[in-house]
Amino acid sequence: MSNFSSGDAVLKVEGLVTSFRTDDGTVTALDGVGFDIGRGKTLGIVGESGCGKSVTSLSIMGLLPSGVGRIDAGKILFEGKNLATLPEEEMRDIRGNKIAMIFQEPMTALNPVFTAGEQIIEVFMTHRNMDRSAAYKAALSMMEMVKIPDPERRLEEYPHQMSGGMKQRVMIAMALACKPAVIIADEPTTALDVTIQSQILRLMQDLQKDTGTSIMFITHDLGVIAEMADDVVVMYAGQVIERADVVTLFDHPLHPYTKGLLASIPHVGQHRDKKLSTIRGSVPSLMNLPAGCRFYGRCPYRQPECEQTRPALESHKGAHEVACLFAGRIDAGEIKPNYEALGGE
Amino acid sequence: MSDVILEVKNLSVRFPIRSGILQRQTGAVQAVSDVSLQVRRGETLGVVGESGCGKTTLGRAIVRLYEPSEGTVVFRGEDITHKTHKELSATRKHMQMIFQDPYASLNPRKNVGAILEEPLLLNTNMNREERLARVFELMDLVGLRRDAMNRYPHEFSGGQRQRIGIARAIALNPDLIVADEAVSALDVSIQAQVINLLVELQKKLGMAYVFVAHDLAVVQYISDRVAVMYLGRVVELGSSKDVYADPLHPYTKALLAAVPAAHPKDRKKVQPLTGDVPSPANPPSGCHFHPRCRFATDKCKTEAPALRRLGHVDVACHHAEKIKSGEVQA
């Protein structure tokens, strides 16, 4: 099921280091991030606030704020090119055309002064060199493809006249307009109600089946990962700490952070007589990271070595990779969690 | 029924829609429509629903942050619906609120000690020493380190700020706390910490919660009973166990079916609910849910179903019996 090791990767990220200049000095937001996205597959990237999942997508798209954020090292390989060093003119041909993006806030991603139709038509005219009437027809068929009811009328509407779900459909229509090889979806359903979220997830799955597009799906929601992903990358404080195919990750998480994350979500069917597992403490500041494992301060399995030695992402079994010095021994039950050592919650 | 701490009877809240240069009222949004429910001492009532369902308005009308248009709110046996602002201050000692964004609800110019001391200063006769002891006690209760007392809200993470908000809410030992999306903005690992804290504090201090949230799993986890709202109306009300195990209202069913799977092997196969949530300014006739309901008949288009008892739960659906017995199916 996993395709991390296969050669059929449409996008490959290697050792990506991205930093931001701030008033308080340089912050390394991504520190050696790597993964592949398989052709026609969905890669889920999951992590909490500040883990670097959105910076990863901005780095790939070449959308880091200029003069503030920059890629210091690493490669982003796509169709034989390294996007990390590609000049802006060439990047413009790829962005929105071969790699498209869907954002969390369709209201801010869509231009409020143009109708939905004008915005989709523009995509076709810019990237496909279509004339206006051909672009209109193409836009109409995109609207039908994303199942927007009454598409002729909707093309004439402005973003503020549409509901959140409808705007996200328009965003998806725009993203799909150029038949991209990869769609990067950054929390595309986080702002939506649960019944609308399930419509949009279903739509993305159906469209992927029809078009064969690969999807990089960024979310904080493990439920959405369970619904959508083929493979999963778990990020923590700017690093990839575990990657596996989705079933393996849920059945057999290895990293103490992944274990904690999975255990801390309440599920429908669970009641409060059973206390929720938590991860003690909070994510370390990127300004002040520990020398060794970045999860050290919160890890119930930690050993003295973890404080100074930084674990590399290594294969555990086949394509299942984990960045934990003691993953094998924890998995074998040789190291037990010690919550007392961490102090209060 | 002396154990009822809060009784809401036929509560409606309308907001005027004003337009034109004269800002004349041209319509009204019926945010909450004829809602009746009770909260018992020490229990948690979850209020769940999607955007625009009125859950936040209901919570705020209970603590009188919004004025009810109709109906009554009885708290601790006292009708507080028409109390003046001044009269309410005595009531508010016993009823507190926790907000989604603790940062917006904490004074950025005051340190934690001052934030927690304020309600004691205004509402009790404690001397300085007693107040300090109480501030420390509150910080211990919510798991904040005592040495954080002199720090300001911006120095804390979201989860810690929510702990400050909770400490302030429990400062005067209230009987009821209305929590509005209190854990929604938090990362999952932190969310679990705050949920555990709320459960633990309730066990220790015995206050009741009205827990308003959109996350169905969180609401089920924390609640004894659940009210499901749709476009201003309560469509189903019952014990959390009954409502989640065997939802009767087609909307509750659809809502639960839309929750993402807990495991990739349980991926949802059901067809998602179609259509958008209609605008509360212009809700559909009859049963508000009928345009999206697969069981809807002509009766549903014209006649609003009342909330009525069926088995262990209250449900507002004309066809609930048939749905329950499996007589009608999608």
Side-chain angles (χ1 to χ4, degrees), chain A residues 279-297:
Chain A
I279 302 175
R280 309 291 164 101
S282 49
V283 182
S285 157
L286 292 174
M287 299 294 297
N288 188 18
L289 287 167
C293 175
R294 294 184 177 178
F295 192 57
Y296 176 79

Side-chain angles (χ1 to χ4, degrees), chain B residues 275-321:
Chain B
D276 275 319
V277 183
S279 158
N282 186 19
S285 62
C287 172
H288 288 343
F289 188 59
H290 85 258
R292 303 175 79 192
C293 182
R294 45 191 198 178
F295 303 102
T297 59
D298 284 345
K299 188 182 184 186
C300 306
K301 290 176 193 163
T302 53
E303 209 177 300
L307 196 66
R308 63 206 165 87
R309 179 48 64 109
L310 180 62
H312 296 295
V313 304
D314 295 322
V315 60
C317 170
H318 293 307
H319 306 302
E321 284 85 359

Side-chain angles (χ1 to χ4, degrees), chain A residues 146-166:
Chain A
V146 297
K147 298 186 185 124
I148 290 180
D150 202 356
E152 286 96 343
R153 188 171 63 83
R154 290 290 182 181
L155 278 176
E156 305 303 319
E157 282 187 358
Y158 290 90
H160 75 269
Q161 294 172 290
M162 299 179 165
S163 68
M166 206 57 79

Side-chain angles (χ1 to χ4, degrees), chain A residues 199 229 251 269 272 274 279, chain B residues 193 220-222 263 267 273:
Chain A
Q199 292 171 7
D251 275 349
R272 61 168 189 233
K274 198 173 158 271
I279 302 175
Chain B
Q193 294 174 4
Q220 183 208 18
Y221 179 81
I222 204 164
H263 192 286
R267 281 188 187 174
L273 195 61

